[in-house]
Amino acid sequence: MDSIRRLTAITSRNYSSTDQDDTSLQGGDSGKAVLYGRNKRSTGQIREITFSKEQACCIVGIVLMVMLMIALVAAFARPTVFCEDGYGNVTEKILLKNTASSGLFKAGNKDFPWQEICLPPFVKPLHYSIFIHPNLTTFCNEGTVNITLEVLQATNFVVIHKKDLNITVQDLFTISGKQVKIVQSLENAEHEQLYLEFETTMKPSVEYILHIQFKRLLHETLEGFYVSSYTPSGGQKRYLATTQFEPTAARSAFPCFDEPDMKATFSLQIVHEQDYDVYFNSDLNISLPYENGLILSVFNPTVRMSTYLVAFLVCDFSTIQGKTKSGTDVKVIVPKGQMSQSVFAMESCVKILEYYERFFNISYPLTKLDMAAIPDFSAGAMENWGLVTYRMSAILHDPKESSSDSQELVAIVIAHELAHQWFGNLVTMKWWNDLWLNEGFATYVEFIGADFLKPEWQVKEQFIFSVTQHALQMDSLKSSHPITSDVKDPAEISANFDAISYKKGGALIQMLESFLGIYTLQEGLTLYLNKYKYGNAETKDLWDCLTEVINDGLQTNISSIMDTWTIQEGFPVILVSRVGNMVYVNQQRFLLAPSKSDAVSEEDISPYGYEWNIPITYITDRDTEVQRFMLNTTTGTFSVKENIKWLKLNVNQTGFFRVTYEEHEWKHLLRFLHQNHEKLFCGDRASLLDDAFSLARNGMLNSSVPLDMTSYLQREKSYVPWGTALLHFNDLDFLLYETSVYSLFQHYVRKLLHPLVSYLGWKDEGSHMTQKLRSLALVEAIYFGDKKVTAQGKKLFDSWMKNGTWIPPNLRSPVYFAGITQGGTEEWQYLWNCYQKSTTPSEKELILSALGVTTKTRQLMTYLKYSLDSSKVRAQDTATIISNAAKHPAFQYLTWRFLYSNWDKIFERIGSGSFGIGKVILDVTSHLTSQFDYDQVKSFFESKDVGSGKQAVQQSQEQIQANIYWKQKVQASVVKWVENNV
């Protein structure tokens, strides 16, 4: 053990305590590999061994000698093997052993010397030298980390993060090699912190190296450093090791300062088997023979970055390569046998990366960008700098087997993750309360990138349906949170990865673009990225940059406008009235349902009194050019032309608010929709539907208005308005399920869909948007019981099942759905067998979704049970199955019973910090409609650990209360309308 404590091989350079130009960290003049080690017989003196490429080329013998020396140093650095058994047979015990210098023991939060959740700000990491050996036979990962750090003030202690790591050795040295004795080590498991106290005081003028040895078993979880697997066609099961560190899981892979503003550089040495490749954020420097036939791969230092962006991957995948015009190497890494499905991703990456360099006017900072398809992955993708990891369905596309809709998904996810290379990676939020600076911008920019890649797809047109409307729905709850919300512990941080940070954030940037203009916005973003590159920023920093580039003569202050949107939760509804040519507007907060009590709690208090500075846009029948008005008080007025018939506020729903009008104004808009709907922008038609249904949902508008409006849909042939309408129809389908008019309501929706499905037919033809609309319309017609459509779909399913007749990818969704809803055990089992055999990720996801639409209780129970069986489905799909099962009102209680009966298994399988926990809670419970349901849900989750799902529990309970309110106050008017009009 002494040799391990005294000798660690690391790849490094000379790290000074002063800031440097980070471009020097990109590999640079890397003709050298510099190895720092401590001789076990010395007093800790640092020795440096260097060799140049020129010498290697001239004198082969010297090269061999140097390589042998490096191999010997690495061999001494190898930690002792701790694991005794193979994966699945070892019970990992986090045993904190005593070291020669100190006793390490656990301490409760009360006894822990450092009481803050955040680490001491006066200790800064400069560089991490990581050595790991992830053994894919025993599944034990063991290694060391040398953290070069500095202190900004004199201190005799350091606090770092660790989680579930067995730490066996810890030492502190000055950069000159002098050991600093550790006198006390304490662990706070609740805060995931390790406290180290020293005999002497650390000084600001000295750099130190903190040396820690650790080990941990790798599990088949979906976070931290974990194991995944795949089986090549006709081959044996193969394992791989990969990472998912965002937001706070790097600390479970190696001890570190795991906060976004504690940026440092990282170098990695990793031991692996010969038939495996390894990938890291930076380029590979050299691979060397190691003992027992293993390989030691050494990587170049990275640029300065946050710990959550560190990634390493050990696998035996195949690769496809490309290169941008500026010289960035692009590589797609996929499981063997799926190379043909990676071509679209590689080509898309190259084109979008080149476009972003022009759009941001900043070059991509690294020399390479790897994109890896991971068989088990919780999220859609993760933007690790230089090594982006993806769920397989989010990166692989098979032109013969994947629909155009799934191809669009691949393009959008890639565009999102590449946007992060600037927003999030180059410039990172200081703390997780500003997560939206990462995710909101990437959500906004993904549509720009995908639109550049495929302008014929009309991706930008879908923004309000895919982003804005979903965010408005979530933000209409009192249990929502400000976009810059105060988060502290890891569970709160994980819960912040929701529709507010992503979609409301993206919608606010869209609103900014609408009143600043795209060129001013671009100029401000470029200034922001250049000013804070390789560093951290806050929301105010962005507003200051945008304010700086505005040249409107009005001295506009962006912060004064946008703080009202980011510091308080919720959004306004604008009440519009008109007298002659004068328009009067009034704002108030919009809520899905009125509060049960008039009492105001501290959580209800807003620094702006729920008043917003609102950039209003509007058009009229006499002026279709967009006009603008800024409402920065509760009420306001503006004038329009004389004798207009109608006016429409919030053009194309670019503003994050709702609008309601007086009854006669709604009638004018309804009349225009019915007479000549195509003269309104597609987004305006969708926003009228969305606002009217949402206002009727909470009783602010008579239900007859949105329901009367829907009759125009019989002439509508655009995807976005139909998508909006069907979202609200599905909501009503749950709410009306137990009423006397349920079958009449379904008949009405079928009637509206009939002209559209007749027009689109069953031929796989037309534009991308036509193909998307056809699939949507046919699936919804089947769901709402159209016998003719269902019969045609079942006929195609039977022909495929019995005769092998090929089904075009864009028609598979309605065909599979028809086959399962109308079929029995034979059809369900056949499709299940297809799921098991398929090697196309998008096809597997589609089949898994279709299996959940069965109308047979026994089959649905089998489906749900499979979600907990690792031999049947991957852990990443557990949440998907449970959510799918809850999509029909007939099975919502069955799914809820399954959830609470199996919560502990579900929670363990999905993961406490996974984004899927909140989704499952919301999807299963948010459609329940009785006080009994509310009480049961509330009581159940009060006694359960929900991890990152805490926010979702509150939101689901409020959704149930809103459903109860609707049934008490609104349902009667909807029932009456259906009875009178269908």
Side-chain angles (χ1 to χ4, degrees):
M1 289 297 291
D2 186 64
S3 63
I4 298 174
R5 294 178 61 224
R6 293 296 184 186
L7 187 67
T8 301
I10 59 173
T11 301
S12 187
R13 63 173 175 84
N14 185 22
Y15 299 93
S16 70
S17 58
T18 58
D19 290 336
Q20 300 182 42
D21 183 356
D22 284 273
T23 56
S24 66
L25 302 177
Q26 299 177 22
D29 184 19
S30 186
K32 299 180 179 180
V34 182
L35 295 174
Y36 286 88
R38 281 191 180 78
N39 191 309
K40 63 181 179 179
R41 295 179 181 174
S42 73
T43 58
Q45 183 178 1
I46 302 291
R47 59 190 177 89
E48 176 179 340
I49 307 168
T50 65
F51 61 92
S52 68
K53 289 182 177 178
E54 291 78 6
Q55 288 172 320
C57 294
C58 299
I59 311 172
V60 176
I62 295 177
V63 170
L64 293 175
M65 187 186 310
V66 172
M67 289 179 67
L68 178 59
M69 290 173 64
I70 295 172
L72 288 171
V73 171
F76 278 108
R78 178 181 58 85
T80 305
V81 176
F82 295 101
C83 297
E84 298 176 356
D85 205 345
Y87 182 75
N89 298 318
V90 174
T91 300
E92 183 181 20
K93 297 180 180 178
I94 307 303
L95 179 63
L96 301 172
K97 298 183 178 180
N98 289 338
T99 70
S101 58
S102 66
L104 178 64
F105 61 92
K106 298 183 180 181
N109 187 29
K110 185 172 63 174
D111 301 323
F112 198 69
W114 182 256
Q115 289 295 304
E116 302 294 328
I117 270 202
C118 293
L119 299 180
F122 48 81
V123 182
K124 295 292 184 183
L126 301 175
H127 179 73
Y128 294 80
S129 293
I130 304 168
F131 174 93
I132 54 175
H133 178 191
N135 189 316
L136 292 183
T137 301
T138 64
F139 299 97
C140 180
N141 178 53
E142 49 192 333
T144 58
V145 60
N146 281 6
I147 309 174
T148 304
L149 54 86
E150 64 177 355
V151 296
L152 306 182
Q153 66 185 49
T155 178
N156 69 335
F157 72 93
V158 167
V159 184
I160 65 172
H161 284 116
K162 69 167 287 288
K163 180 182 179 181
D164 298 339
L165 291 172
N166 184 352
I167 292 179
T168 55
V169 175
Q170 52 194 356
D171 284 307
L172 182 72
F173 297 91
T174 65
I175 198 70
S176 62
K178 182 180 179 181
Q179 185 172 7
V180 181
K181 186 178 181 181
I182 300 174
V183 295
Q184 184 174 220
S185 301
L186 297 171
E187 180 191 358
N188 183 340
E190 181 185 349
H191 289 179
E192 300 171 355
Q193 293 174 353
L194 176 66
Y195 173 92
L196 301 174
E197 185 177 322
F198 310 110
E199 186 177 52
T200 57
T201 300
M202 299 174 69
K203 300 176 182 178
S205 59
V206 179
E207 287 185 8
Y208 297 86
I209 296 178
L210 180 61
H211 169 77
I212 300 177
Q213 182 178 330
F214 57 90
K215 76 178 182 72
R216 187 189 182 188
L217 283 179
L218 302 177
H219 295 288
E220 290 185 291
T221 57
L222 300 175
E223 56 188 353
F225 190 23
Y226 67 96
V227 172
S228 180
S229 63
Y230 79 105
T231 304
S233 179
Q236 293 183 335
K237 188 176 185 179
R238 300 286 289 173
Y239 287 98
L240 59 136
T242 187
T243 58
Q244 171 57 41
F245 289 162
E246 190 181 32
T248 60
R251 64 192 68 173
S252 67
F254 58 96
C256 57
F257 296 81
D258 200 11
E259 293 179 1
D261 68 339
M262 291 196 170
K263 288 190 170 184
T265 55
F266 298 80
S267 57
L268 174 70
Q269 289 186 27
I270 184 167
V271 177
H272 58 96
E273 296 179 11
Q274 290 188 21
D275 55 346
Y276 277 77
D277 296 309
V278 290
Y279 302 90
F280 183 53
N281 303 88
S282 61
D283 292 301
L284 179 68
N285 185 313
I286 192 170
S287 289
L288 305 167
Y290 200 67
E291 65 176 31
N292 298 325
L294 298 174
I295 299 294
L296 173 69
S297 289
V298 181
F299 289 85
N300 289 328
T302 68
V303 296
R304 288 185 72 237
M305 63 185 196
S306 305
T307 49
Y308 78 88
L309 293 170
V310 174
F312 20 89
L313 170 64
V314 184
C315 63
D316 66 342
F317 287 5
S318 302
T319 62
I320 183 173
Q321 300 186 48
K323 188 184 284 287
T324 67
K325 292 177 182 177
S326 59
T328 302
D329 292 317
V330 173
K331 186 181 296 178
V332 182
I333 307 160
V334 299
K336 293 184 184 300
Q338 295 182 298
M339 180 64 66
S340 61
Q341 298 183 48
S342 64
V343 175
F344 177 72
M346 190 272 290
E347 294 174 346
S348 299
C349 180
V350 169
K351 292 178 182 178
I352 295 173
L353 200 60
E354 291 173 344
Y355 174 68
Y356 282 169
E357 289 186 314
R358 298 193 299 272
F359 183 82
F360 297 127
N361 197 26
I362 297 174
S363 298
Y364 173 69
L366 309 184
T367 59
K368 63 99 174 179
L369 198 157
D370 297 336
M371 302 197 303
I374 307 300
D376 292 285
F377 203 77
S378 177
M382 177 60 208
E383 66 268 18
N384 314 300
W385 215 353
L387 176 54
V388 185
T389 46
Y390 293 81
R391 182 181 283 232
M392 290 177 66
S393 60
I395 189 172
L396 300 182
H397 170 71
D398 186 341
K400 296 180 180 179
E401 299 293 320
S402 303
S403 67
S404 58
D405 203 16
S406 68
Q407 184 181 23
E408 179 188 290
L409 173 67
V410 171
I412 284 179
V413 174
I414 289 174
H416 181 100
E417 303 310 322
L418 296 193
H420 273 309
Q421 306 303 300
W422 285 265
F423 284 97
N425 298 10
L426 183 63
V427 179
T428 311
M429 74 265 149
K430 284 186 179 179
W431 183 245
W432 296 104
N433 61 310
D434 277 324
L435 173 66
W436 87 281
L437 286 176
N438 286 13
E439 300 301 347
F441 269 93
T443 299
Y444 165 76
V445 173
E446 74 187 37
F447 284 83
I448 296 174
D451 185 69
F452 167 78
L453 181 70
K454 293 285 186 179
E456 68 275 15
W457 284 356
Q458 299 176 300
V459 174
K460 280 187 175 181
E461 187 179 284
Q462 302 174 54
F463 185 91
I464 66 166
F465 172 61
S466 300
V467 177
T468 305
Q469 291 175 4
H470 286 260
L472 286 168
Q473 194 276 332
M474 189 61 68
D475 206 28
S476 65
L477 302 173
K478 287 189 73 174
S479 54
S480 181
H481 60 85
I483 202 168
T484 56
S485 56
D486 184 23
V487 291
K488 295 178 180 179
D489 63 55
E492 286 180 333
I493 293 169
S494 296
N496 219 26
F497 285 76
D498 62 3
I500 303 303
S501 296
Y502 281 74
K503 295 191 174 185
K504 182 178 180 179
L508 292 187
I509 303 305
Q510 170 86 335
M511 186 168 69
L512 264 175
E513 181 202 322
S514 74
F515 72 87
L516 288 182
I518 185 64
Y519 297 113
T520 300
L521 180 63
Q522 276 183 273
E523 187 179 354
L525 297 182
T526 299
L527 175 63
Y528 168 79
L529 291 170
N530 274 315
K531 190 172 183 178
Y532 298 101
K533 62 183 177 181
Y534 302 107
N536 300 79
E538 299 175 297
T539 295
K540 184 181 182 301
D541 298 323
L542 174 64
W543 299 154
D544 289 345
C545 288
L546 288 169
T547 298
E548 187 174 334
V549 301
I550 293 174
N551 186 22
D552 59 1
L554 303 176
Q555 295 185 325
T556 300
N557 186 297
I558 295 299
S559 183
S560 66
I561 298 171
M562 296 305 297
D563 282 351
T564 64
W565 296 94
T566 58
I567 295 176
Q568 63 183 348
E569 72 268 26
F571 60 89
V573 54
I574 298 177
L575 293 79
V576 182
S577 60
R578 179 165 59 95
V579 178
N581 70 328
M582 294 303 299
V583 179
Y584 300 86
V585 291
N586 178 62
Q587 63 165 299
Q588 66 183 54
R589 185 183 180 185
F590 179 85
L591 291 170
L592 184 63
S595 175
K596 277 191 170 184
S597 170
D598 292 331
V600 177
S601 69
E602 288 187 8
E603 295 177 355
D604 296 326
I605 297 173
S606 162
Y608 298 99
Y610 294 109
E611 188 175 282
W612 290 262
N613 289 335
I614 310 171
I616 295 174
T617 56
Y618 63 93
I619 55 174
T620 72
D621 62 309
R622 296 191 58 193
D623 196 347
T624 55
E625 183 177 341
V626 178
Q627 305 296 313
R628 303 179 188 281
F629 170 74
M630 179 64 72
L631 178 64
N632 51 22
T633 57
T634 303
T635 62
T637 60
F638 59 89
S639 61
V640 294
K641 291 181 179 179
E642 297 282 354
N643 301 320
I644 65 168
K645 294 180 181 178
W646 55 262
L647 79 158
K648 163 70 171 63
L649 272 67
N650 198 9
V651 180
N652 259 328
Q653 208 169 7
T654 53
F656 196 74
F657 52 87
R658 297 204 182 282
V659 184
T660 189
Y661 308 86
E662 293 181 308
E663 185 178 352
H664 67 277
E665 293 287 356
W666 275 112
K667 288 182 177 179
H668 288 311
L669 286 165
L670 291 176
R671 189 177 301 114
F672 184 75
L673 265 180
H674 283 93
Q675 292 173 351
N676 203 345
H677 68 278
E678 290 185 343
K679 283 199 172 182
L680 273 179
F681 293 124
C682 179
D684 283 319
R685 295 175 339 241
S687 71
L688 283 172
L689 287 164
D690 190 42
D691 283 349
F693 269 112
S694 300
L695 291 158
R697 184 71 155 78
N698 76 350
M700 285 188 70
L701 186 65
N702 192 297
S703 298
S704 63
V705 174
L707 292 169
D708 285 343
M709 190 184 298
T710 58
S711 60
Y712 105 88
L713 288 168
Q714 293 179 91
R715 295 181 298 281
E716 180 64 78
K717 293 182 175 62
S718 293
Y719 177 81
V720 173
W722 262 114
T724 301
L726 287 165
L727 277 178
H728 290 285
F729 284 151
N730 278 278
D731 184 46
L732 284 173
D733 190 65
F734 274 88
L735 292 169
L736 292 171
Y737 182 66
E738 295 178 338
T739 68
S740 59
V741 298
Y742 180 67
S743 59
L744 283 176
F745 170 72
Q746 288 212 318
H747 171 76
Y748 178 67
V749 178
R750 293 197 300 270
K751 177 184 175 183
L752 295 179
L753 282 165
H754 180 71
L756 181 65
V757 296
S758 298
Y759 165 75
L760 294 169
W762 281 89
K763 288 186 178 180
D764 186 20
E765 58 187 12
S767 67
H768 174 76
M769 291 302 291
T770 298
Q771 291 170 333
K772 280 173 66 79
L773 181 59
R774 178 182 293 111
S775 179
L776 174 68
L778 292 174
V779 165
E780 292 292 342
I782 293 166
Y783 175 85
F784 282 101
D786 189 312
K787 293 181 180 179
K788 184 177 180 180
V789 174
T790 304
Q792 179 63 24
K794 182 62 164 61
K795 181 180 178 181
L796 293 172
F797 185 94
D798 291 343
S799 180
W800 168 61
M801 183 174 71
K802 296 173 182 178
N803 306 319
T805 306
W806 185 72
I807 305 171
N810 293 312
L811 294 179
R812 290 181 185 178
S813 183
V815 169
Y816 294 170
F817 278 44
I820 295 302
T821 55
Q822 290 300 301
T825 303
E826 182 184 6
E827 288 85 354
W828 199 92
Q829 191 61 47
Y830 179 79
L831 197 59
W832 171 254
N833 292 337
C834 291
Y835 169 79
Q836 292 180 302
K837 295 175 184 176
S838 177
T839 58
T840 304
S842 60
E843 175 74 354
K844 290 180 76 71
E845 281 200 356
L846 174 58
I847 293 174
L848 202 61
S849 178
L851 289 166
V853 303
T854 178
T855 57
K856 310 297 187 298
T857 302
R858 181 172 296 180
Q859 287 173 354
L860 193 74
M861 283 305 303
T862 299
Y863 179 67
L864 285 168
K865 289 177 182 177
Y866 283 178
S867 71
L868 303 179
D869 188 341
S870 58
S871 68
K872 296 287 195 302
V873 298
R874 294 183 180 274
Q876 67 174 18
D877 297 319
T878 295
T880 301
I881 289 177
I882 298 171
S883 293
N884 286 340
K887 286 183 177 178
H888 196 289
F891 293 122
Q892 60 181 328
Y893 289 104
L894 184 151
T895 311
W896 165 230
R897 286 196 299 272
F898 177 83
L899 183 72
Y900 71 66
S901 298
N902 298 278
W903 175 257
D904 292 340
K905 292 180 182 178
I906 293 168
F907 186 70
E908 180 182 2
R909 190 157 164 80
I910 296 177
S912 62
S914 169
F915 311 139
I917 286 290
K919 175 176 171 55
V920 164
I921 293 170
L922 279 170
D923 288 348
V924 172
T925 64
S926 62
H927 287 296
L928 301 175
T929 58
S930 73
Q931 186 63 43
F932 175 82
D933 298 331
Y934 173 82
D935 293 339
Q936 190 180 48
V937 169
K938 186 174 186 294
S939 174
F940 175 78
F941 284 117
E942 281 177 348
S943 63
K944 294 295 180 181
D945 180 8
V946 296
S948 60
K950 183 178 179 181
Q951 184 86 18
V953 169
Q954 296 174 347
Q955 292 167 343
S956 70
Q957 291 173 15
E958 190 178 345
Q959 286 272 14
I960 297 170
Q961 289 179 322
N963 297 341
I964 295 170
Y965 176 86
W966 184 91
K967 290 181 79 69
Q968 293 172 345
K969 303 294 184 180
V970 181
Q971 177 179 283
S973 63
V974 176
V975 169
K976 183 178 179 180
W977 187 94
V978 175
E979 289 174 340
N980 293 339
N981 291 275
V982 182

